Amino acid sequence: MEHDGVFPRGSVKKIRVTDLMSFVGTLELVPGARVNLITGPNGSGKSSLVTALCVGLAGGMKTLGRQKDAAELIRRGCSAFEVEVTLSGGPGQPDIRVHRRTEAAQGRQTGERRRRPQKRQRTTQQQQQGGASKAAGAAGAGSEGGLGEADDAEEEEELDGEEEAGGTAGGGARGRGGSHTTWRLDGRAVPEARVKELTRQLGIYFDNLCQFLPQERVSEFAALSAVELLENTEKVIGDGHLLRTHQQLVDRSKALRAKREDLARTRDLLAKLQKEQADAEPEYRRLQRRDELKEEVKRITQKLRWVEKQAKEAAVRRAQQAVQAAAARVAAVQREVDQAQAPLTALNHDRERLDQAAAGRVRAIEAQARKVETARRHLEAAEVALKQREEELQGLRARSDRWRAEVARCQEGLRKVAADQAAAPTALSAQQAQRLEEIAGELQAAAGEVGGAEAQVNQKNQEVLGIERDVQRLETAEQRRTDRREALLCKLDGAQRGSRQLVEWLAATRAAGGFRGRVLGPVLLELSPVADAAWAGYLEQYIGRRGLCTVMTEQKEDNNKVQDWLEANGCTHQLMYVRGGAQPVTHPDGEPGAYTQKYGITHTLDQLFEAPDLIKTALCNSNGINTVYVGNNHTHSTPVFTALLRDTPVTRVFTPLGLTVATHSRYERGYTTQKLAHLQPARLLAQAGAAGAEEEEQQERAALQRRRQELDDARRELVRLESELAQRRTARDALHQERQRLLQARQRIQTKLAELERAHGDYSRRLQRLTQEGDPLGAVQQLSQRLAEEVDRFARLAGALGEQVRQQHELHRQLAPLQLQAAEMAARKAPLQRAYQAAVDRLAAETQAKGAAQQALDVAKQVAAEAAALAREELGGAAAPGAELVAAWSGWPEDAGGLEALMADKTAEMEAAQANLRGDEVAVLAAWSRREGELREEGAKAAAYEADVGRTSQEVEELKASWLPELQGHMAAVNEALRRNFAAIGCAGEVALTEAGDAFESYAAEIRVQYRAGEGLRALDRNHHSGGERSVATMLYLIALQGVTRTPFRVVDEINQGMDSRNERKVFNLLVESSSRPDTPQCFLLTPKLIANLQYNEHVRVHDLKPIRNDFIVMTPGLVDRLLLQQAAQREEAEAGQAAGQAAQPARRAAPPPRQRTDVSLFGLGQLPWHLLKDFMVVRRAAVGGEQN
C-alpha cells in the first residue's frame, strides 16, 4: 500500500468527467494518496463523482442504486458522456488510463428514465439454462469479480434499456436500450470484459459495500444480513481468494449433501433388496440344501461302500502279512533259544566250585569276628570306668567351689533377714486402726442412704413412664384428629365397616399394577375439602353416607375384581362402574351463572368441590348433582322461587333454609308440588369435629396439656433424684476405696513379716546341712590312685583288640578274590538267564500268534469278497470310482464309522428340508436369481457413491482447513480493531464470526454494538438503531477493515448523515488516524458538510465542490492561484493580529490548533490551506471538436 505519498497499484490518481449527470463540460479531480474528503452542498455533484468512478471502471449499474441504463447518465441536452480514470500502476510502473464514452441512441431523449417493460415469459428450458448459468457464475464469483454481476445480468435481462454484456472487436458495445459504449485502455480500444478483468486483477469490487458504498446504498449496509456481510468482508481481504474458497466450499458441501442423499437412496434400495432376499433366503436355502443333501447322501453311500471294500481288502493284506511275519518270528526265536542255552550251562558248573571254596573262608572269618567282638567289649568297659574316674575327680573340685559359695550366701542371707525383721513394722498405726473402725460404721449408713435414693429414683421412673404412655396416647389421638385423611378414614370406618381395610387393599393393588384402569374411592377420600360448612351439608345430605363410601371403576375387569374382594371380606360398600369413562360435566337445566342475577342461583352441586373427573361423572350419572342448584336467601322467597320453577327447567334447589324439590304434574299443566327437606349438618364432610364431640376433644386437649406439664415436672424431679443418688453413690464409693486402702496396707505388713520368717528358717536349715556334709576336696588323693590303675588296664585291652582285628583283616583279604569271582559269575549269569527265559517266552507267544493270524486271514478273505460285491453294486458295476467322484469325496471322513454318522445326519437334514418346502420351487429360484442381479448392480452403485462421497468430503475438509483458520485470523484482527474503534468513541462493539460446521452457506459475520450503558451488545439492526448509529457502526467497521483489506481504494458517500457532531468528530479522527498508517488503502469520504475545527494531518486532502453560479465563466488556473494566495495572506495576517491580542489574556480559553496546510491540488490549484479551497469550483467547457483541455 501507499507510503509517504506514493500511490499503490490500483489507487486513483485522477478522475476526468465530461457531461455526466450534473457535470457541465469537463471536470478533473486529482485525489491524494491517502484520505480524500469530498464536501459540498446537495446538488454539487458528489454522487455524480461517485457514479463517474463506478461506471468509468466498468462497475454495474445496480451497484449505484439509481439508474438502470447507462444512457440515463448523459447530461440532459448532450449526446454522450465520457469518463477517464487514471489508476496508479504501482511504484516504478506507468499509470493505467481507462477511458469510457457512452453515446445515446438516435431519437432518444437523454437524461430520462424509461418505463419498465413487462417481463417476458421464459420457457422451462431457458429457466433451467439460466439457473445453471447462475450456479456457474456463483461458483466462479471470486475469480470473475463478485457475486453481484450475475444478479445484474439477470435484472438487465428484464429491462429493455440495460446494456448488454460483451463487445465488438473495436471495443464497442450496443445496448438494447439504445446506448453505445466504447472503451479504451491506455489509448487502445478494448472490450468491456478486458476492463472488468483489469479491475478484478487490481482488487476493485464495486458490488462490495465494504469497498464501494454510494449514498443510495448506505441503508443497504445496515440491512446486510450476517451472511452477506461476511461475503463482502471476504471480498476485500487479500486478493479475494477467501471468498472464492468459501464459494467452493458452499458448492462442494451442497454437492456433498446431494451425493449423500443419492447414497442414502441407493442404500435404502439395497437394504430393501437385501431384506427381500433375506426374507426369501430361508426357502431358497432350504430348496438348495435339499438338492445338495440328496446328492451328498448318494455320494456318501458310494464312498461308504468303496471305503468298506478297501478296508476289507487292506485287512486281507494285513492278515497275510501278519501270518508271514509270525512264521518268520517263530523260526528266529527258536534260534535265539538254542544260542542262549549253551553259555548258561557252562557258567553254572564253574559257579558251584567257587561257592565251595568261599564257604570255608567265611566260616574262619566268622570265628575271628567273635574274638574281635569279645575284645572290643572289654575295651569299652575299661573306657567307661576310666571316664567315670576322670569325671569324679573333676566334679569333686566343682562341688567344693559350689559348697563354699553356698555357705557364704546362706550366712549373708541370715544377716539381711535379721536386719529386715528389726526394721519392719508389725501392725497398722493407732490412727489407721481407729479410722478403719469408723469407716465400717459410715459404710453401713451410706448403704442405707443409697438404697433409699435408689428406691425413690425407681418410683419416679415408673411415674414418668406412666405419664409418657398417657401423653403418647393423647398425642396419637390428637394427631388422628388433625390428620384429614386419617380423620376421614376413621369416619369411613364408623360409617361403613371395613373401609380402612378396603382403602389399604386398593392402594396396594394400584402400586402392584393390578388394575387395568382407574379405580377411585371411597368417594369421601377423593373429594377436596369443602370450606363452607353449609355446602358440605348440601353435598352430604344429597349424596348420602352410602354414596360417600362408594368405589368408582372405569373397566369391567376392575369392577369384577373389586366386587370379588368385597364379597370375600364381607364388606357392603357400594360399587359403581362408569361405562365409557369420564365425560365433561354439562348442565342440561342451564348454567347457574344465567340464573344468578334474577334468581340468586350461585352454583350447582358439582361446582362446590374438586374431585377427579371420573368421580364427578359418576355422581352426575347416579345422583344428578349437575341438575341440583344452590341459591341464597333471595332464591327462597316465594315470588322468586315461583318464577324460577315457572320460567326455568330447574326442579331442585338448595337454599340456607333447606332442599326444595319441585314435581310437575303429568296431568294438569302448570300444577307443581314442592317438597322442602330441612338441612342436616355435615358429619363425614365436616372440617371440624362433631358438635357433641367438641367438648370431649377440648377436654382431651386440656388433659394432654396437663399431662405434658406433669411429665416435665416429673422429669425434672427425676433428674434431681438421680443427681442426689449419684452424690450418695460417690460418697459410698469413696468410703469403700478408703477402707480398701487401709486393709491392703495391713495385709502388706503381715505378708512382709511372714516372708522374712520363712527366709530366716530356709537359710538356717541350708547352712546346717552344708556344715554336716563338709568340704568335698578331702577325697582327691584316693580318686587319683584309682584313675592311674584304670589307665594301665585300658592300655593292655587296647593292644589285645588290635591284634585280633589284624587277624580278622587277613582272613577278609583272602575271601575278597573269591567273592569277586562269584559276583562276576552272578553278573554274567543274570543276563544269560534272562535272555534264555525271554527267548523261551517269545517262542511260545509267537507260536500262538501265528495260529491266530492264520485264522484272521481266513475270515478277512471272506469279508473282503462280500464288500467288493456291494461296492460294485453302488458304483453301477464299475470296478473303481471315477476322478470326479473321488474329488467329490474329498473332505469327508475316510473311515466307515464317520461316513455312516455323516450319512445319518445328512439324511435327517434332507428329510427336514423336504418337509419345510412350500412347493413353489420354480418361482422361488427365479425370484432369487433376479434379486441377485439387482443386488450386484446396486452394490456397485453404492460403492461408487461412497467413494465419491469420500473424495468430496476430503476435498471439503482440505478446503476448510485452508480457508477457516485464515478467515478466523482476519476476523479476529478486524474484531480487535473494531473493539478499539468503538472504545475510542466511548461505546462498545464487536464483529463475531458465526460458524455452522459444514453448512458453509450459513457462515456469517455479525456486528454487535452498544451505544448506551447497561444496554448490552446487540446486533446492528435498522429497526433498533438510528441512522446515525448505523452510520457510526458502518464507518468504524470500514475503518477496522483497513488492516486486512487489500483493495486499492474505498469510497463512502455521505456516511456521516445522521451523526451528531460528537460522533462525527470521533469517527473522523479515527478515519484520519487509521488511513494515515502505512499499508492502508486510499479512501474517498463524501459529505455535504464538515464540522468546524477538525484535526487534519499531511495525509488528508479536502476537495470542496461548490458550483459557480455563472458556469459560463472560464477561470484560468493562474488567476485562481493569485486570487487565492491574496485571500490567504489577508486571512493569515488577521489571524496573527487576533492571536497577538489574545496572548495577554491567559485566563481565556486556549486558541484552536493552527490550520494545517495540505497538499491539495484541485483542478490545477496550488498549495493552499484546505479551508480556502471550499470557496471555489472550476468548471471548464469541452473544447471544440471533442478534445478536452
Side-chain angles (χ1 to χ4, degrees):
M1 287 298 173
E2 180 264 331
H3 183 66
D4 292 338
V6 178
F7 287 81
R9 177 175 171 80
S11 59
V12 180
K13 299 186 72 173
K14 184 170 66 175
I15 304 173
R16 191 163 180 257
V17 185
T18 301
D19 293 334
L20 177 73
M21 296 178 67
S22 63
F23 293 140
V24 179
T26 300
L27 177 142
E28 285 187 358
L29 177 67
V30 181
R34 293 279 181 95
V35 183
N36 294 274
L37 298 179
I38 302 175
T39 68
N42 293 332
S44 62
K46 298 186 301 299
S47 297
S48 299
L49 188 61
V50 173
T51 303
L53 182 61
C54 177
V55 300
L57 293 177
M61 296 299 296
K62 182 182 177 182
T63 303
L64 300 171
R66 287 186 173 187
Q67 296 83 359
K68 298 296 183 181
D69 186 0
E72 298 176 8
L73 301 178
I74 302 174
R75 188 174 66 83
R76 184 182 300 274
C78 298
S79 61
F81 74 81
E82 296 184 19
V83 177
E84 182 176 286
V85 181
T86 301
L87 303 176
S88 172
Q93 299 296 326
D95 294 339
I96 304 169
R97 288 186 299 110
V98 180
H99 180 274
R100 171 177 180 161
R101 178 180 175 84
T102 299
E103 300 176 352
Q106 296 295 330
R108 166 80 184 277
Q109 291 293 330
T110 61
E112 295 181 355
R113 292 181 180 270
R114 292 176 294 104
R115 291 178 298 176
R116 182 185 294 272
Q118 294 182 352
K119 296 183 179 179
R120 299 183 301 276
Q121 294 294 114
R122 296 190 296 176
T123 63
T124 303
Q125 182 178 2
Q126 290 172 337
Q127 293 173 354
Q128 293 174 351
Q129 292 175 353
S133 65
K134 286 194 290 182
S143 60
E144 295 298 326
L147 298 173
E149 297 298 331
D151 297 335
D152 288 343
E154 185 177 352
E155 192 163 322
E156 287 169 4
E157 187 178 338
E158 300 177 355
L159 302 174
D160 292 334
E162 283 291 332
E163 299 181 66
E164 285 188 337
T168 64
R174 175 67 63 184
R176 288 175 296 173
S179 63
H180 178 74
T181 301
T182 58
W183 295 87
R184 289 182 179 276
L185 184 61
D186 293 332
R188 296 188 304 275
V190 295
E192 182 182 4
R194 177 68 184 87
V195 178
K196 290 185 176 181
E197 181 182 358
L198 173 64
T199 57
R200 286 194 297 270
Q201 292 174 354
L202 296 176
I204 301 172
Y205 301 103
F206 289 103
D207 60 337
N208 184 1
L209 296 182
C210 293
Q211 178 181 359
F212 188 77
L213 189 59
Q215 178 182 356
E216 289 74 13
R217 302 188 67 190
V218 169
S219 60
E220 293 184 23
F221 188 89
L224 284 177
S225 68
V227 174
E228 294 170 339
L229 179 61
L230 179 60
E231 292 176 355
N232 284 274
T233 303
E234 287 177 310
K235 283 182 183 179
V236 300
I237 296 177
D239 58 356
H241 70 281
L242 284 176
L243 181 61
R244 293 193 295 273
T245 306
H246 188 179
Q247 191 59 45
Q248 291 176 5
L249 282 169
V250 172
D251 297 338
R252 295 290 195 281
S253 62
K254 289 180 179 179
L256 180 60
R257 288 193 290 271
K259 291 174 182 178
R260 284 173 175 167
E261 291 174 359
D262 293 339
L263 177 58
R265 286 193 296 271
T266 304
R267 284 176 174 172
D268 291 342
L269 178 58
L270 191 61
K272 179 181 177 183
L273 291 172
Q274 289 174 345
K275 184 178 183 304
E276 293 176 356
Q277 197 76 331
D279 294 340
E281 184 176 9
E283 182 66 18
Y284 174 78
R285 296 302 179 196
R286 286 193 293 270
L287 178 61
Q288 189 180 43
R289 187 60 178 161
R290 191 276 316 271
D291 295 339
E292 293 174 354
L293 290 171
K294 281 184 178 180
E295 185 64 23
E296 285 184 9
V297 169
K298 178 180 177 182
R299 292 185 175 183
I300 291 171
T301 303
Q302 292 174 342
K303 182 173 184 179
L304 176 62
R305 298 296 176 243
W306 180 254
V307 167
E308 290 176 347
K309 171 183 174 297
Q310 288 184 329
K312 299 304 185 289
E313 291 176 349
V316 170
R317 290 192 295 274
R318 289 194 299 273
Q320 291 174 345
Q321 294 172 359
V323 170
Q324 294 172 1
R329 288 194 299 273
V330 168
V333 171
Q334 183 62 52
R335 288 193 296 273
E336 291 176 2
V337 170
D338 296 340
Q339 292 174 0
Q341 187 175 11
L344 182 61
T345 303
L347 185 62
N348 287 333
H349 291 310
D350 295 340
R351 178 61 185 274
E352 289 178 359
R353 292 193 296 274
L354 185 61
D355 288 341
Q356 292 176 359
R361 296 291 188 280
V362 169
R363 287 193 293 272
I365 290 172
E366 290 175 353
Q368 186 62 34
R370 288 192 290 272
K371 295 179 181 178
V372 169
E373 181 63 22
T374 302
R376 185 184 62 78
R377 287 198 299 271
H378 293 165
L379 182 62
E380 288 177 354
E383 183 181 7
V384 170
L386 179 61
K387 287 181 179 181
Q388 288 178 353
R389 297 295 181 267
E390 290 177 351
E391 290 174 357
E392 287 179 2
L393 183 60
Q394 293 175 358
L396 190 63
R397 294 190 182 93
R399 286 202 307 273
S400 176
D401 295 339
R402 288 196 297 273
W403 180 84
R404 291 191 180 90
E406 184 68 16
V407 169
R409 188 177 67 82
C410 291
Q411 291 173 349
E412 180 63 24
L414 286 174
R415 287 193 299 272
K416 186 176 180 180
V417 167
D420 291 341
Q421 286 177 340
T426 58
L428 291 174
S429 65
Q431 184 179 1
Q432 290 176 333
Q434 182 180 0
R435 180 55 185 162
L436 187 60
E437 294 176 358
E438 292 174 355
I439 287 174
E442 292 176 1
L443 278 175
Q444 186 174 1
E449 292 176 357
V450 169
E454 287 177 345
Q456 290 179 355
V457 169
N458 292 335
Q459 181 180 359
K460 186 57 67 176
N461 268 324
Q462 294 300 323
E463 181 181 349
V464 169
L465 290 175
I467 297 174
E468 285 178 344
R469 285 193 294 269
D470 290 346
V471 169
Q472 185 176 5
R473 176 180 57 78
L474 294 171
E475 286 178 343
T476 302
E478 180 66 16
Q479 180 64 28
R480 289 184 176 178
R481 283 193 298 272
T482 56
D483 187 350
R484 180 177 180 273
R485 184 172 180 83
E486 182 63 25
L488 292 178
L489 279 175
C490 293
K491 291 180 180 180
L492 282 173
D493 256 347
Q496 191 85 23
R497 184 181 58 82
S499 295
R500 184 182 295 273
Q501 186 180 2
L502 172 62
V503 169
E504 293 173 353
W505 177 78
L506 290 175
T509 307
R510 285 193 205 99
F515 294 130
R516 299 184 59 183
R518 287 186 296 175
V519 177
L520 304 178
V523 172
L524 181 62
L525 296 180
E526 304 293 343
L527 300 184
S528 64
V530 182
D532 193 309
W535 290 359
Y538 299 165
L539 285 172
E540 184 169 338
Q541 182 172 347
Y542 193 77
I543 297 175
R545 293 192 176 187
R546 184 169 176 79
L548 292 174
C549 297
T550 304
V551 177
M552 310 293 184
T553 64
E554 61 181 355
Q555 295 291 336
K556 194 65 176 177
E557 294 81 357
D558 297 338
N559 194 78
N560 294 337
K561 179 179 289 188
V562 177
Q563 184 64 42
D564 294 339
W565 187 90
L566 293 173
E567 292 177 358
N569 290 273
C571 296
T572 59
H573 291 73
Q574 185 176 350
L575 183 61
M576 186 176 298
Y577 167 54
V578 182
R579 189 182 304 276
Q583 302 295 332
V585 177
T586 61
H587 302 95
D589 294 342
E591 294 296 328
Y595 304 144
T596 301
Q597 185 174 2
K598 188 174 181 180
Y599 306 108
I601 298 298
T602 58
H603 303 83
T604 54
L605 283 186
D606 63 282
Q607 297 175 340
L608 300 182
F609 64 95
E610 295 294 332
D613 53 357
L614 185 66
I615 297 293
K616 285 200 172 184
T617 300
L619 293 177
C620 289
N621 294 341
S622 61
N623 299 83
I625 61 173
N626 57 334
T627 61
V628 181
Y629 292 77
V630 177
N632 50 29
N633 290 325
H634 175 67
T635 308
H636 195 71
S637 64
T638 301
V640 174
F641 198 85
T642 302
L644 176 65
L645 297 180
R646 182 184 66 247
D647 300 333
T648 67
V650 176
T651 59
R652 291 174 288 185
V653 180
F654 270 105
T655 64
L657 298 179
L659 171 63
T660 302
V661 180
T663 305
H664 298 285
S665 175
R666 297 181 181 179
Y667 310 103
E668 186 176 353
R669 185 173 183 178
Y671 180 76
T672 303
T673 61
Q674 300 179 17
K675 180 180 180 182
L676 176 64
H678 295 288
L679 296 179
Q680 300 176 2
R683 295 187 179 277
L684 295 179
L685 288 175
Q687 293 300 305
E694 183 176 358
E695 182 178 356
E696 181 181 352
E697 292 177 2
Q698 292 296 335
Q699 292 176 358
E700 289 182 355
R701 291 192 183 96
L704 174 60
Q705 188 65 28
R706 185 175 61 255
R707 295 300 284 173
R708 284 175 176 169
Q709 184 62 39
E710 293 175 357
L711 178 60
D712 293 340
D713 296 340
R715 284 175 175 169
R716 285 194 293 271
E717 180 64 18
L718 178 60
V719 170
R720 185 186 64 78
L721 292 175
E722 288 177 344
S723 176
E724 293 179 358
L725 175 59
Q727 293 175 358
R728 289 188 172 88
R729 284 177 174 171
T730 302
R732 183 194 62 184
D733 294 339
L735 291 174
H736 273 296
Q737 293 173 1
E738 185 178 3
R739 179 175 179 275
Q740 188 66 25
R741 286 194 299 272
L742 292 173
L743 292 176
Q744 290 175 354
R746 187 174 64 183
Q747 182 64 33
R748 285 195 297 273
I749 291 172
Q750 296 175 353
T751 302
K752 182 66 174 178
L753 292 175
E755 289 176 352
L756 291 174
E757 187 64 30
R758 285 196 300 273
H760 186 274
D762 292 339
Y763 284 132
S764 299
R765 286 190 294 274
R766 192 175 301 121
L767 182 59
Q768 183 179 3
R769 180 177 58 78
L770 291 173
T771 303
Q772 291 175 356
E773 290 177 355
D775 190 350
L777 283 179
V780 171
Q781 185 177 2
Q782 184 180 1
L783 286 175
S784 298
Q785 185 178 358
R786 291 179 182 175
L787 179 61
E789 293 175 355
E790 292 295 337
V791 168
D792 295 340
R793 181 170 174 269
F794 181 79
R796 290 194 302 272
L797 292 175
L801 177 61
E803 180 61 23
Q804 295 295 332
V805 169
R806 186 189 63 75
Q807 294 176 4
Q808 185 183 23
H809 176 69
E810 181 63 23
L811 291 174
H812 278 290
R813 188 181 62 78
Q814 294 174 1
L815 177 63
L818 298 177
Q819 290 177 337
L820 288 175
Q821 291 179 7
E824 181 184 359
M825 288 182 180
R828 292 205 313 271
K829 180 180 179 181
L832 293 174
Q833 184 67 36
R834 287 195 298 271
Y836 174 74
Q837 187 61 40
V840 172
D841 294 340
R842 283 199 302 275
L843 180 61
E846 293 297 338
T847 302
Q848 184 178 359
K850 178 181 177 183
Q854 185 62 46
Q855 184 178 359
L857 176 62
D858 296 339
V859 175
K861 287 180 178 179
Q862 182 179 358
V863 173
E866 296 174 355
L870 290 176
R872 282 194 300 273
E873 182 180 353
E874 287 294 336
L875 294 175
E884 180 181 359
L885 188 58
V886 172
W889 287 351
S890 62
W892 288 345
E894 297 298 333
D895 60 298
L899 289 170
E900 288 175 352
L902 179 62
M903 184 170 64
D905 294 341
K906 296 295 182 181
T907 301
E909 188 176 354
M910 179 184 67
E911 293 173 353
Q914 183 65 42
N916 293 330
L917 292 177
R918 296 186 313 207
D920 52 345
E921 301 176 4
V922 177
V924 170
L925 292 174
W928 181 270
S929 300
R930 174 181 56 79
R931 284 192 295 269
E932 282 288 339
E934 293 177 355
L935 282 171
R936 286 191 297 272
E937 181 180 354
E938 295 302 325
K941 285 183 181 180
Y945 285 146
E946 288 177 356
D948 200 6
V949 167
R951 287 192 300 272
T952 306
S953 298
Q954 185 176 1
E955 293 175 1
V956 169
E957 291 300 325
E958 291 174 355
L959 287 173
K960 183 177 179 181
S962 65
W963 167 74
L964 185 56
E966 182 179 358
L967 178 62
Q968 289 171 339
H970 288 308
M971 291 305 296
V974 173
N975 180 47
E976 183 61 29
L978 186 62
R979 284 175 179 268
R980 291 196 302 268
N981 294 344
F982 269 99
I985 66 170
C987 301
E990 66 178 14
V991 58
L993 176 63
T994 303
E995 301 179 15
D998 291 338
F1000 298 100
E1001 64 276 7
S1002 299
Y1003 277 66
E1006 183 180 63
I1007 297 178
R1008 302 167 185 166
V1009 296
Q1010 176 189 347
Y1011 289 107
R1012 287 164 288 277
E1015 186 181 53
L1017 290 173
R1018 186 168 186 170
L1020 185 65
D1021 178 64
R1022 62 182 176 182
N1023 297 323
H1024 178 74
H1025 297 96
S1026 66
E1029 291 172 340
R1030 297 200 304 274
S1031 298
V1032 169
T1034 301
M1035 278 304 301
L1036 294 183
Y1037 186 68
L1038 294 178
I1039 294 171
L1041 288 175
Q1042 294 281 100
V1044 298
T1045 184
R1046 292 297 179 266
T1047 184
F1049 63 85
R1050 177 177 292 118
V1051 178
V1052 182
D1053 188 4
E1054 296 191 15
I1055 191 62
N1056 58 342
Q1057 288 187 2
M1059 290 189 194
D1060 55 19
S1061 59
R1062 174 177 173 272
N1063 285 332
E1064 184 177 356
R1065 187 182 307 279
K1066 292 180 177 180
V1067 171
F1068 178 81
N1069 292 337
L1070 283 174
L1071 176 64
V1072 171
E1073 188 274 332
S1074 63
S1075 300
S1076 300
R1077 301 181 191 136
D1079 297 329
T1080 55
Q1082 185 183 35
C1083 181
F1084 293 89
L1085 179 61
L1086 290 81
T1087 177
K1089 62 180 179 65
L1090 286 174
I1091 61 177
N1093 299 325
L1094 292 175
Q1095 299 295 323
Y1096 301 91
N1097 58 28
E1098 67 274 12
H1099 300 293
V1100 180
R1101 178 171 292 182
V1102 181
H1103 309 271
D1104 189 20
L1105 301 182
K1106 281 190 177 181
I1108 299 176
R1109 297 300 179 185
N1110 185 2
D1111 57 1
F1112 293 98
I1113 297 177
V1114 178
M1115 303 180 68
T1116 63
L1119 176 60
V1120 174
D1121 288 350
R1122 286 194 299 272
L1123 291 174
L1124 292 177
L1125 288 172
Q1126 291 174 5
Q1127 189 175 3
Q1130 292 173 0
R1131 290 186 179 181
E1132 287 179 355
E1133 291 176 359
E1135 291 176 356
Q1138 185 179 3
Q1142 293 175 349
Q1145 300 176 1
R1148 299 179 61 181
R1149 65 179 182 178
R1155 302 182 183 275
Q1156 301 180 17
R1157 298 181 62 84
T1158 309
D1159 184 11
V1160 178
S1161 178
L1162 178 61
F1163 316 140
L1165 299 182
Q1167 299 290 330
L1168 295 176
W1170 69 271
H1171 62 279
L1172 298 181
L1173 298 180
K1174 294 183 179 180
D1175 298 332
F1176 295 92
M1177 173 180 176
V1178 179
V1179 179
R1180 295 188 296 174
R1181 291 183 178 277
V1184 179
E1187 293 295 326
Q1188 290 86 9
N1189 296 328

